């Protein structure tokens, strides 16, 4: 049994340690000795802290020209060359295990078909939820017709940043460096901060939960870069935590997927996830609600999820429920409804305050709660919580205020979930 490892970074190093320590166990499962082919990296001369006697290469031909390789584990990340390598492997009848959510979200349907045609496997437990075994639970336990909605905290980096900002009262920039050092962030951390990483993950989860595929370019997302320490503190005082919430749900037979920083009531189990932890709430029509939680990123939790796929490769798991996917009919985001939190600064005059309230009224936005704080230099801060409003009313309001008023500033607006 010859395995090729592509990538030897945070996850690859953790996996190599696990393979090395469990060689005898794996050999028993495989009923064959396990051999590791030269490991593909980008920088051949980089100093590496790895155990065991393994060869390293920066030449992919060594792997793709080796007819003895049975399985490729892709831990490079990003779109290229990972996509080309995975596709080539499957076309060459080599099974693939990957932790790459971008590839699975964007090309998963196509790659799964190639895998089926070539009678090989494509597994990706580590791509969503880090160390939480999500797909094995979803595929084996739930029935797609019974799932009403899924709500998740699916990005460890941003959850870590939001938690550290609150606990240490520091800015985003200061925490990001730490998240990178801990190996949580993507090579390009804007994927984490701008919500793309979470979007890839909710697309993959929704595919398994609803047996539908979702076109990446049709979906909206926003990240946490605009969330300030002030927003976090105000939300806290009002009984909420701000989280990067990923959700997918069925509304009137249409599918609604979204990634947004959101105010969650403190009692919500997702609001209680600290640091790098991820969680997923599955609401069903008939079986009640389920909550899964655990470490969402990091060397060993993620490597363990890859290792689980490796074990399943030998012992066989159930075929993933994503072979005959129907295209999902998406709900128009403009008709989706939410409660909102606004943080607005304005010149402290009665006229402006009246104007602002009038603009809310014109858009038929009902105010549920308003908190006024006097600021320095004759400014006033208003925290406004609204009743449920449509997304296009929100957009109209923000546009009108930004265009029409020089002395009213919308500092931030965020969704509130679970009112
Ligand atoms: P990483 O630390 O950045 O490691 C990437 C590895 O890939 C490095 O060894 C790098 O080589 C190699 N590489 C990069 N470009 C390459 C190229 N063009 N050709 C050959 N090798 C190349 O990444 P990671 O954190 O381990 O993540 C790997 C994958 O797991 C990604 O898809 C990521 O999204 C996913 N994932 C990560 C986590 C986590 O907590 N880190 C959790 C879940 C999923 P050099 O070492 O020579 O630079
Ligand atoms: N960058 C990702 C995160 C790694 O922070 O969640 C795990 O997929």
């Amino acid at each position: 049994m010859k395995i090729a490892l592509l990538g030897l970074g945070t996850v690859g190093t953790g996996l190599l340690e696990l393979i090395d320590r469990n060689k005898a166990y794996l050999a028993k499962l495989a009923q064959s000795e396990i051999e590791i082919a030269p490991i593909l990296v980008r920088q051949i001369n980089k100093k590496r802290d790895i155990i065991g006697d393994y060869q390293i290469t920066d030449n992919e031909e060594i792997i793709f020209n080796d007819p003895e390789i049975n399985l490729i584990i892709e831990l490079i990340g990003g779109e290229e060359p990972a996509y080309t390598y995975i596709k080539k492997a499957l076309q060459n009848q080599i099974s693939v295990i990957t932790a790459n959510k971008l590839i699975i979200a964007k090309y998963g349907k196509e790659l799964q078909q190639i895998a089926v045609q070539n009678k090989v496997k494509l597994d990706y437990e580590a791509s969503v939820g880090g160390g939480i075994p999500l797909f094995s639970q979803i595929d084996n336990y739930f029935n797609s017709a019974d799932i009403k909605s899924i709500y998740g905290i699916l990005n460890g980096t941003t959850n870590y940043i939001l938690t550290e900002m609150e606990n240490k009262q520091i800015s985003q920039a200061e925490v990001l460096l730490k998240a990178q050092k801990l190996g949580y962030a993507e090579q390009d951390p804007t994927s984490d901060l701008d919500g793309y990483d979470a979007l890839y993950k909710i697309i993959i989860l929704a595919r398994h939960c609803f047996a539908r595929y979702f076109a990446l370019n049709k979906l909206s997302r926003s990240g946490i870069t605009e969330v300030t320490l002030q927003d976090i503190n105000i939300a806290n005082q009002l009984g909420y935590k701000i989280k990067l919430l990923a959700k997918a749900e069925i509304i009137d037979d249409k599918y609604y997927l979204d990634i947004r920083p959101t105010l969650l009531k403190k009692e919500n189990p997702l609001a209680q996830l600290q640091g790098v932890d991820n969680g997923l709430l599955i609401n069903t029509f008939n079986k009640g609600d389920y909550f899964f939680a655990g470490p969402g990123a990091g060397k060993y939790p993620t490597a363990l999820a890859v290792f689980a796929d490796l074990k399943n490769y030998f012992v066989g798991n159930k075929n993933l429920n994503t072979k005959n996917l129907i295209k999902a009919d998406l709900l128009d985001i403009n008709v989706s409804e939410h409660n909102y939190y606004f943080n607005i600064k304005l010149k402290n005059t009665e006229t402006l305050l009246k104007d602002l309230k009038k603009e809310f009224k014109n858009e038929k936005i009902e105010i549920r709660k308003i908190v006024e704080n006097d600021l320095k230099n004759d400014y006033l801060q208003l925290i406004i919580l609204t009743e449920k409003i449509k997304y296009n009313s929100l957009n109209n309001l923000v546009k009108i205020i930004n265009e029409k008023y020089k002395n009213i500033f919308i500092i931030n607006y965020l969704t509130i979930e679970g009112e």
Side-chain angles (χ1 to χ4, degrees):
M1 177 74 211
K2 195 164 180 181
I3 301 173
L5 197 52
L6 316 184
L8 193 55
T10 306
V11 186
T13 318
L15 179 69
L16 193 63
E17 274 181 48
L18 287 177
I19 292 177
D20 197 76
R21 263 192 268 138
N22 292 284
K23 258 192 165 163
Y25 168 64
L26 286 175
K28 206 165 157 196
L29 293 183
Q31 299 179 331
S32 147
E33 283 305 306
I34 303 288
E35 188 186 341
I36 302 290
I39 301 166
L40 186 70
V41 295
R42 183 177 36 190
Q43 309 159 75
I44 191 84
N45 296 321
K46 186 164 141 186
K47 197 169 170 295
R48 289 170 205 276
D49 189 17
I50 54 166
I51 53 157
D53 187 17
Y54 297 97
Q55 284 178 43
I56 286 171
T57 180
D58 59 0
N59 177 6
E60 75 275 9
E61 296 298 323
I62 291 188
I63 290 154
F64 287 100
N65 289 336
D66 183 344
E68 287 181 358
I69 288 172
N70 317 80
L71 173 68
I72 284 184
I73 303 179
E74 183 277 314
L75 298 172
I76 293 175
E79 188 156 351
E80 283 297 352
Y83 168 68
T84 302
Y85 292 164
I86 294 176
K87 191 169 173 177
K88 198 166 169 184
L90 296 172
Q91 284 167 336
N92 290 348
Q93 298 184 314
I94 298 171
S95 289
V96 174
I97 292 171
T98 179
N100 194 322
K101 43 269 154 120
L102 185 160
I103 299 290
I104 299 301
K106 198 165 175 183
Y107 303 107
K109 184 172 183 274
E110 175 207 3
L111 293 173
Q112 199 74 56
Q113 276 165 355
I114 298 175
V116 171
Q117 280 157 12
N118 287 283
K119 298 187 175 54
V120 287
K121 285 171 57 131
L122 170 64
D123 285 332
Y124 43 85
E125 183 63 73
S127 64
V128 183
I132 318 171
L134 289 175
F135 297 120
S136 52
Q137 310 293 326
I138 293 167
D139 292 344
N140 293 329
Y141 186 74
F142 293 94
N143 168 2
S144 59
D146 193 32
I147 298 182
K148 190 163 49 173
S149 62
I150 52 175
Y151 290 69
I153 304 298
L154 301 177
N155 183 268
T157 303
T158 46
N159 205 54
Y160 175 80
I161 290 175
L162 294 171
T163 312
E164 288 283 292
M165 282 171 76
E166 179 175 352
N167 291 347
K168 305 209 167 120
Q169 292 290 297
I170 49 180
S171 69
Q172 275 195 30
E174 289 175 74
V175 196
L176 175 62
L177 272 176
K178 244 173 114 184
Q180 287 175 301
K181 273 193 193 137
L182 288 165
Y184 301 157
E186 295 300 305
Q187 245 179 59
D188 172 7
T190 54
S191 179
D192 298 295
L193 299 178
D194 289 347
Y196 289 102
D197 181 82
L199 178 65
Y200 303 144
K201 290 169 174 169
I202 197 76
I203 286 176
I204 305 172
L205 278 175
R207 190 181 294 163
H208 283 256
C209 287
F210 300 120
R212 295 281 185 285
Y213 75 90
F214 298 85
L216 182 58
N217 57 1
K218 295 262 179 347
L219 297 169
S220 76
R221 45 91 247 143
S222 53
I224 65 157
T225 45
E226 304 295 321
V227 177
T228 64
L229 183 57
Q230 190 194 39
D231 290 321
I232 292 175
N233 290 339
I234 295 169
N236 204 11
Q237 282 160 19
L238 295 170
Y240 299 97
K241 296 278 175 193
I242 299 181
K243 297 283 176 189
L244 184 64
L245 184 72
K247 65 179 188 180
E249 59 189 321
I250 307 181
I251 302 170
D252 299 334
D253 290 333
K254 292 205 189 306
Y255 293 88
Y256 175 57
L257 266 72
D258 197 16
I259 306 292
R260 259 193 254 185
T262 300
L263 276 75
L264 293 174
K265 285 240 171 75
K266 284 183 188 170
E267 311 85 72
N268 186 320
L270 293 171
Q272 292 165 22
L273 293 169
Q274 295 278 314
V276 75
D277 280 357
N278 279 194
L280 184 71
L281 260 177
I282 301 184
N283 308 113
T284 69
F285 288 106
N286 297 310
K287 282 194 205 140
D289 301 335
Y290 294 78
F291 182 56
F292 301 90
K299 181 175 175 180
Y300 294 112
T302 314
L304 265 172
V306 180
F307 192 76
D309 277 344
L310 181 57
K311 282 191 301 183
N312 283 333
Y313 171 80
F314 297 128
V315 295
N317 62 352
K318 287 202 178 161
N319 275 333
L320 297 179
N321 182 24
T322 56
K323 279 183 207 153
N324 301 310
L325 295 172
I326 311 165
K327 188 168 187 187
D329 198 0
L330 289 176
L331 183 80
D332 177 3
I333 187 168
N334 287 317
V335 302
S336 69
E337 288 189 343
H338 291 97
N339 299 80
Y340 279 90
Y341 152 103
F342 284 86
N343 180 352
I344 298 175
K345 188 174 132 182
L346 74 168
K347 255 283 192 253
N348 194 354
T349 70
E350 245 176 58
T351 335
L352 265 190
L353 199 55
K354 262 193 198 152
D355 285 346
L356 179 70
K357 288 183 182 167
K358 192 183 75 207
E359 297 299 354
F360 269 72
K361 214 168 174 184
N362 289 346
E363 287 304 322
K364 299 189 178 53
I365 300 177
E366 259 187 76
I367 294 175
R368 180 160 55 85
K369 185 171 186 165
I370 184 159
V371 183
E372 294 185 15
N373 299 313
D374 278 318
L375 300 173
K376 281 184 208 152
N377 305 327
D378 291 335
Y379 274 91
L380 192 64
Q381 181 199 43
L382 297 182
I383 300 298
I384 298 177
L385 306 187
T386 74
E387 296 297 351
K388 278 208 160 59
I389 60 171
K390 288 209 161 61
Y391 193 65
N392 50 5
S393 312
L394 167 84
N395 274 341
N396 289 345
L397 178 79
V398 172
K399 199 166 163 235
I400 286 167
I401 291 183
N402 287 342
E403 282 173 3
K404 199 161 146 190
Y405 297 95
K406 276 198 182 122
N407 281 311
I408 302 183
F409 308 96
I410 299 183
I411 307 292
N412 212 343
Y413 56 94
L414 298 166
T415 319
I416 307 175
E417 193 64 56
E419 288 295 308

